[in-house]
Amino acid sequence: MCNNYVFRPPNDLLFSHLRLGGDLTYPFGKPNLEPGNVWIGARAPIVARHEGDLALMMTPWAWKGPTGKPVFNFRTEGRDFTTADRCLIPACGFYEFTTAQPGEKKKTKWLFEMPAHPDFWIAGVMKQGAFAMLTCEAGPDIAPYHNRQIVLLAPDQGLAWLNEAREGLLTASPEGSLAVRQVYPPAA
């Protein structure tokens, strides 16, 4: 499952759709948004409701589960998110890993991007002051690499997830919506 994604300060289009829900606030101060890869345990920007307002804040990725292991991905099947603390994770790409190629010790790393939406949302939930990404069964673009995928939302779907927790949003990406390329080992 996704344990690494790419963040860059998003273009204004990603946040413009949120303005319909009110101004974006910074309850803990305006965060310094640095581009780069985000790994489990890192503090990363999210958008969530804070005291009724839309808020951009830095939050750790993964809460501690009952066994002490980090919960960084959270299955959608059979769950009701109506009362959950929902969040949006801004991203421009995410990684999946497959078995190492012959002669390599590390797994093969694949970057997935959405050409139609260079910046997009990942649907998430919050608990214990941290966030986890929601997952569903893999769509056709991801299925050759993994049997599950994170829930990806186009820029104009973010507010619907924060306001309504609509189950129709928690589905696999349609075929052809993702581009994939191998980033490790470098393709010959």
Side-chain angles (χ1 to χ4, degrees), residues 37-61:
N37 285 325
V38 181
W39 294 90
I40 297 167
R43 294 179 64 78
I46 62 160
V47 174
R49 293 273 179 206
H50 180 77
E51 297 180 2
D53 295 326
L54 287 175
L56 178 66
M57 52 192 144
M58 299 297 284
T59 308
W61 180 13

Side-chain angles (χ1 to χ4, degrees), residues 3 15 24 39 46 55 60 80 97 102 115 121 128 135 141 152-153 158 165-166 169 171 188:
N3 63 10
F15 289 104
L24 198 59
W39 294 90
I46 62 160
D80 178 9
F97 298 82
W121 300 114
Q128 301 173 8
T135 68
D141 294 341
L152 305 173
L153 304 173
R166 291 189 304 186
L169 295 173
T171 60

Side-chain angles (χ1 to χ4, degrees), residues 17-31:
H17 296 284
L18 295 180
R19 289 196 184 98
L20 300 172
D23 290 332
L24 198 59
T25 63
Y26 310 101
F28 308 107
K30 193 168 184 176

Side-chain angles (χ1 to χ4, degrees), residues 2-21:
C2 182
N3 63 10
N4 180 211
Y5 70 98
V6 184
F7 170 79
R8 70 171 168 245
N11 63 38
D12 193 49
L13 177 64
L14 187 65
F15 289 104
S16 68
H17 296 284
L18 295 180
R19 289 196 184 98
L20 300 172

Side-chain angles (χ1 to χ4, degrees), residues 104-115:
E104 293 289 333
K105 292 182 181 180
K106 292 184 179 181
K107 291 183 176 184
T108 303
K109 186 175 185 177
W110 304 91
L111 174 63
F112 290 84
E113 298 171 302
M114 293 179 77

Side-chain angles (χ1 to χ4, degrees), residues 85-108:
D85 289 329
R86 298 178 299 277
C87 67
L88 295 169
I89 304 138
C92 62
F94 64 95
Y95 299 100
E96 290 294 350
F97 298 82
T98 56
T99 306
Q101 294 181 2
E104 293 289 333
K105 292 182 181 180
K106 292 184 179 181
K107 291 183 176 184
T108 303

